[in-house]
Amino acid sequence: MKVWSFSICVLITGGGLVNATFCRCQPDQPCWPTEANWAALNSSIEGNLVAVKPFAYPCHDTEFNAAKCTIVKDNAYNSSYRSSQPSALQWENWEAWPKEDEQCYIESPMSIPCKQGRVSLYSAKVQTAKHVQKAVEFAARHNIKLVIRNTGHDFLGRSSAPNSLQIFTHNFKNISIIDEFVPTVPSGMSAPGGIKAVTLGAGVQLHEMYSFLASKGVMVVGGSANTVGVAGGYVQGGGHSFLGWLHGMASDNALEFQVVLANGSLIFANPYQNTDIFFALRGGGGGSFGVVVSVTVKAYPNYPVVYATVNYTTSVNGPFWKGSDAFHKHIVYLNDNGGSGYYVMIPITLVPNSQSLSTFVLFLAFVNQTSTDAVGKLLSPLRSDLRKATGYEPSLNVVSFPSLSGLYTTLFRGNDTTGMQARMGSRLVSRSFFESANSTQLTEAVSSLKFRPGDAVIGCIVAGGQVAKNRDIESGLNPAWRDTMVHLMITRLMSPNMTFDEQAAIAANITDQEVPLLESLESGKMGAYLNEADADEPDFQQKFWGTNYPRLRAIKASRDPHDLFIVRKGVGSEDWDSDGLCRV
Ligand SMILES: Cc1cc2nc3c(=O)[nH]c(=O)nc-3n(C[C@H](O)[C@H](O)[C@H](O)COP(=O)(O)OP(=O)(O)OC[C@H]3O[C@@H](n4cnc5c(N)ncnc54)[C@H](O)[C@@H]3O)c2cc1C
Ligand SMILES: *[C@@H]1O[C@H](CO)[C@@H](O)[C@H](O)[C@H]1NC(C)=O
Ligand SMILES: *[C@@H]1O[C@H](CO)[C@@H](O)[C@H](O)[C@H]1NC(C)=O
Ligand SMILES: *[C@@H]1O[C@H](CO)[C@@H](O)[C@H](O)[C@H]1NC(C)=O
Ligand SMILES: *[C@@H]1O[C@H](CO)[C@@H](O)[C@H](O)[C@H]1NC(C)=O
Ligand SMILES: *[C@@H]1O[C@H](CO)[C@@H](O)[C@H](O)[C@H]1NC(C)=O
Ligand SMILES: *[C@@H]1O[C@H](CO)[C@@H](O)[C@H](O)[C@H]1NC(C)=O
Ligand SMILES: *[C@@H]1O[C@H](CO)[C@@H](O)[C@H](O)[C@H]1NC(C)=O
Ligand SMILES: *[C@@H]1O[C@H](CO)[C@@H](O)[C@H](O)[C@H]1NC(C)=O
Ligand SMILES: *[C@@H]1O[C@H](CO)[C@@H](O)[C@H](O)[C@H]1NC(C)=O
Ligand SMILES: *[C@@H]1O[C@H](CO)[C@@H](O)[C@H](O)[C@H]1NC(C)=O
């Protein structure tokens, strides 16, 4: 009887509150903030609120503007420009909202009207931590969908959401080097100091950090890109790096976060206070626990580095995969000798004015090494096996740089190639897999995929070494990283000319056929890297966090009880629809 009346009570009150309790407030509803409310928010953040129109709106009817459209088109593939615009994301597909048939693609004809899609309606271009607090409080008070948007690089669409208020962290550009960092502790407590560290504002991008550090003789564990942010999705998701072999994941190296929580308080999280948030921000994923204002990470010397590239080409359907198989048998040896980096396999590479080729390129950095001869020797057995497998002489290029900065400023000159429509799927593949005879199964699996011109399979050799040795670090990071040898990604470009249904078919193939092929290699034992993964990963809790998930879920429940911070496939997102608009 008691149970009955209780559930009726819930039904009745629940019925009246459906919108307020179970869905985010939508612009056509009475709960939506009034003009006066928005103006109050604007003044509370000192005039930094902007109403956002989609990136390509000047290229479409009703608001067509030739001059403005030219600027948009000129910067379509300029990741630096995209990162500076609250309206843009780096992967155009996440600006659209297929479910409502809304898009505003640069490539679609002018006559197709521009629709808002997943682009936020308002952006708080925050300049101070206080501004962040005000925006967080506003979203919570008005039950508005909140988005934290840094550079917009996210591959899973976590930096956009329909009908949302965006916190735009781009302008937090502070970088400082601290010779003797002491964590911030509650009064009455003391913490040991003395570690050299770097504090990075939430909006600092990799190329900015690398060029700043270059003149300071200091390096930190950072990613291989230009405009990806350091303190946002990168470090909070784990963060892999050329420097990982020597010093672990980026998240292993975080010493302290300054963060605004869901209730608007600004706190420090480190091993001495708010340790639950510290645990969660080191690998639990961006956008789920609070708005990070800055992160402090360990500083290291600007090591010398030897950088090697090995490549081979074959005719399409030639002995291409035989080379790949031969390569996989050398990975453990190269990694044990300090090699870390990437290999890219493109089975159909379009060559201008010529026949297509299959191309394989390996980029390996040997950090803290100076001898090009020694690296050449390490690679010589690989080259000989590639020659035997393919019949082609692989090309080799070995260069020594006096510092990692020298390598980074050579590789990263300020612009990533983005602006296309992309999806991917991935799996972490273990060291023991490569040690067994099974590595051949990897080539068999990958070669059975159907490739369009330009489709790539990318292997990231970014674990082993200190990443494996750090297995006792207590953090939210996917424990699978400690056993990983290769983070393997299948990438798929989609044409904006396709219909939403055609694009969905490509995405469904990734989820239903391609990732399961990788999954089966180790019978589901390994997981995936949450920052570079399938946006529809079915069992994401297990795959992205393994045994850490229950603890992350509990931290989320205690620190964000009303689910203000929900991102696609993030901690706690299973209680929400895929847009984060209504509870399910
Ligand atoms: C070209 C390219 C190269 C890459 N190279 C690497 C690499 O070498 N190593 C690697 O590990 N990864 C790499 N990545 C993946 C990268 O780490 C992710 O895309 C990451 O999510 C980017 O974070 P962001 O903050 O720059 O992007 P955004 O898309 O702006 O944000 C990503 C996520 O973090 C959240 N977020 C952003 N800022 C904050 C904040 N201040 N507080 C709380 N949450 C926040 C967002 O809400 C979103 O959920 C690469 C990606 C690309 C596109
Ligand atoms: C916020 O205030 C600034 C400065 O007064 C103004 O330029 C801007 O248009 C306002 N934003 C919105 C969304 O009204
Ligand atoms: C960015 O780089 C890509 C390829 O690396 C290039 O196609 C594009 O034109 C560049 N964009 C800008 C604006 O420099
Ligand atoms: C790309 O955008 C950046 C930032 O807006 C700008 O400084 C740069 O000039 C642009 N590059 C090109 C080639 O237009
Ligand atoms: C950036 O540094 C300046 C000068 O040290 C300081 O005044 C400002 O508050 C800092 N901003 C942030 C967002 O940390
Ligand atoms: C392979 O390496 C050679 C020599 O370093 C270089 O000229 C060529 O462009 C590379 N090919 C590919 C596909 O990267
Ligand atoms: C880097 O190399 C030097 C010289 O070989 C060595 O003394 C030092 O321990 C190395 N550093 C690391 C972190 O391995
Ligand atoms: C190798 O494959 C066999 C059979 O497919 C399987 O039993 C074994 O567990 C695999 N080994 C590894 C390290 O994945
Ligand atoms: C899209 O279609 C247009 C016109 O049919 C064509 O010119 C363009 O190359 C296509 N773009 C892509 C990316 O396929
Ligand atoms: C899906 O995968 C199958 C099997 O590899 C392939 O035949 C089909 O063309 C793919 N479809 C799309 C839309 O990519
Ligand atoms: C916010 O929540 C934390 C616990 O998660 C609590 O310590 C703090 O006092 C709260 N702040 C406010 C302003 O309610």
Side-chain angles (χ1 to χ4, degrees):
M1 197 59 208
K2 246 190 175 160
V3 173
W4 252 114
S5 54
F6 175 74
S7 58
I8 286 171
C9 175
V10 168
L11 279 176
I12 292 166
T13 51
L17 289 171
V18 158
N19 286 334
T21 313
F22 297 117
C23 292
R24 297 296 175 212
C25 186
Q26 298 301 298
D28 55 356
Q29 296 175 332
C31 53
W32 191 251
T34 61
E35 286 301 319
N37 294 146
W38 288 110
L41 170 62
N42 196 6
S43 76
S44 76
I45 62 170
E46 300 174 274
N48 285 295
L49 185 72
V50 292
V52 183
K53 285 181 189 168
F55 188 51
Y57 85 88
C59 302
H60 291 268
D61 260 351
T62 73
E63 294 196 72
F64 182 82
N65 176 316
K68 285 185 180 169
C69 179
T70 301
I71 296 174
V72 167
K73 289 194 165 161
D74 284 351
N75 286 288
Y77 307 109
N78 182 348
S79 72
S80 188
Y81 187 79
R82 279 184 173 270
S83 71
S84 72
Q85 302 297 309
S87 59
L89 292 161
Q90 302 291 346
W91 307 108
E92 195 188 35
N93 41 308
W94 294 113
E95 295 171 6
W97 194 11
K99 207 175 103 204
E100 299 294 323
D101 201 22
E102 292 190 10
Q103 54 117 324
C104 186
Y105 291 153
I106 295 176
E107 300 85 350
S108 60
M110 182 176 110
S111 59
I112 295 185
C114 173
K115 299 267 182 64
Q116 192 80 17
R118 291 170 59 93
V119 175
S120 295
L121 292 169
Y122 289 91
S123 176
K125 300 176 85 173
V126 293
Q127 311 292 331
T128 65
K130 190 96 211 151
H131 294 170
V132 175
Q133 294 175 283
K134 293 292 175 191
V136 163
E137 284 162 10
F138 183 89
R141 187 161 65 247
H142 292 281
N143 186 31
I144 303 294
K145 174 70 193 159
L146 186 66
V147 160
I148 309 168
R149 196 289 206 173
N150 187 21
T151 68
H153 270 289
D154 199 86
F155 283 108
L156 287 82
R158 291 177 292 210
S159 35
S160 66
N163 297 331
S164 57
L165 165 63
Q166 170 192 91
I167 293 180
F168 183 70
T169 60
H170 181 75
N171 296 317
F172 283 171
K173 295 291 189 190
N174 277 14
I175 311 181
S176 51
I177 294 177
I178 304 164
D179 286 328
E180 296 198 25
F181 173 73
V182 182
T184 313
V185 294
S187 59
M189 204 189 245
S190 66
I195 301 178
K196 190 159 189 165
V198 179
T199 299
L200 300 154
V204 173
Q205 293 171 272
L206 285 168
H207 73 103
E208 295 165 340
M209 179 181 80
Y210 289 137
S211 63
F212 177 87
L213 296 180
S215 62
K216 309 290 191 295
V218 162
M219 188 42 70
V220 304
V221 175
S224 297
N226 294 275
T227 55
V228 166
V230 194
Y234 174 76
V235 70
Q236 293 175 53
H240 60 73
S241 169
F242 276 132
L243 204 47
W245 191 85
L246 214 51
H247 291 304
M249 300 295 286
S251 62
D252 293 345
N253 287 282
L255 298 169
E256 177 171 283
F257 293 88
Q258 191 177 17
V259 51
V260 174
L261 299 177
N263 68 0
S265 60
L266 176 66
I267 60 148
F268 287 97
N270 58 39
Y272 304 91
Q273 59 172 327
N274 297 300
T275 52
D276 58 340
I277 290 287
F278 188 59
F279 176 92
L281 292 177
R282 294 203 299 167
S288 301
F289 299 94
V291 186
V292 168
V293 174
S294 66
V295 64
T296 301
V297 297
K298 273 185 205 164
Y300 293 105
N302 202 344
Y303 297 106
V305 57
V306 174
Y307 186 65
T309 56
V310 177
N311 73 39
Y312 66 84
T313 57
T314 70
S315 56
V316 173
N317 299 323
F320 181 66
W321 296 111
K322 289 199 173 115
S324 145
D325 188 38
F327 169 68
H328 283 142
K329 296 189 162 47
H330 287 263
I331 283 189
V332 172
Y333 171 75
L334 292 171
N335 184 253
D336 281 351
N337 284 284
S340 56
Y342 311 90
Y343 60 103
V344 181
M345 302 185 280
I346 306 181
I348 308 171
T349 312
L350 294 175
V351 185
N353 311 317
S354 181
Q355 274 184 320
S356 299
L357 290 174
S358 296
T359 57
F360 173 102
V361 189
L362 168 68
F363 310 88
L364 274 189
F366 295 80
V367 181
N368 201 23
Q369 295 202 30
T370 50
S371 165
T372 52
D373 283 353
V375 168
K377 266 201 193 97
L378 278 175
L379 291 167
S380 145
L382 167 66
R383 289 169 62 218
S384 143
D385 281 357
L386 288 178
R387 196 181 306 120
K388 277 182 222 150
T390 66
Y392 290 73
E393 181 63 36
S395 78
L396 170 72
N397 192 25
V398 187
V399 195
S400 144
F401 292 88
S403 72
L404 268 169
S405 286
L407 173 64
Y408 286 158
T409 49
T410 303
L411 296 180
F412 311 129
R413 295 171 170 278
N415 169 34
D416 298 305
T417 307
T418 66
M420 297 78 78
Q421 307 212 2
R423 291 290 293 256
M424 67 157 73
S426 69
R427 276 297 177 266
L428 299 169
V429 186
S430 76
R431 177 190 174 101
S432 59
F433 177 85
F434 284 103
E435 282 173 338
S436 70
N438 292 12
S439 68
T440 297
Q441 294 171 8
L442 180 55
T443 303
E444 281 166 11
V446 168
S447 64
S448 73
L449 299 171
K450 194 181 169 195
F451 292 93
R452 278 168 289 262
D455 282 345
V457 175
I458 302 173
C460 304
I461 309 168
V462 286
Q466 196 62 36
V467 172
K469 288 182 200 149
N470 281 350
R471 88 174 53 239
D472 291 335
I473 288 184
E474 231 188 288
S475 75
L477 182 76
N478 191 342
W481 270 112
R482 308 301 180 194
D483 299 319
T484 295
M485 180 59 42
V486 171
H487 155 46
L488 194 80
M489 305 187 273
I490 300 168
T491 59
R492 292 284 183 238
L493 289 179
M494 302 180 306
S495 164
N497 288 2
M498 291 173 177
T499 65
F500 282 138
D501 284 347
E502 287 166 335
Q503 296 192 340
I506 292 177
N509 251 16
I510 294 176
T511 308
D512 302 335
Q513 302 187 30
E514 300 178 340
V515 174
L517 216 52
L518 303 182
E519 171 83 358
S520 68
L521 293 172
E522 299 193 76
S523 333
K525 177 171 77 108
M526 297 296 284
Y529 177 38
L530 66 93
N531 274 340
E532 294 172 320
D534 178 9
D536 290 317
E537 185 71 51
D539 187 16
F540 69 94
Q541 300 97 323
Q542 182 59 33
K543 294 300 151 200
F544 294 170
W545 293 287
T547 52
N548 274 334
Y549 193 73
R551 185 163 169 189
L552 288 166
R553 188 71 190 82
I555 295 169
K556 170 91 183 156
S558 97
R559 295 299 196 141
D560 183 17
H562 305 298
D563 280 357
L564 185 66
F565 302 116
I566 291 293
V567 294
R568 191 181 175 99
K569 305 293 171 193
V571 172
S573 64
E574 63 271 35
D575 292 348
W576 291 79
D577 64 28
S578 61
D579 294 319
L581 293 180
C582 288
R583 280 183 189 276
V584 292

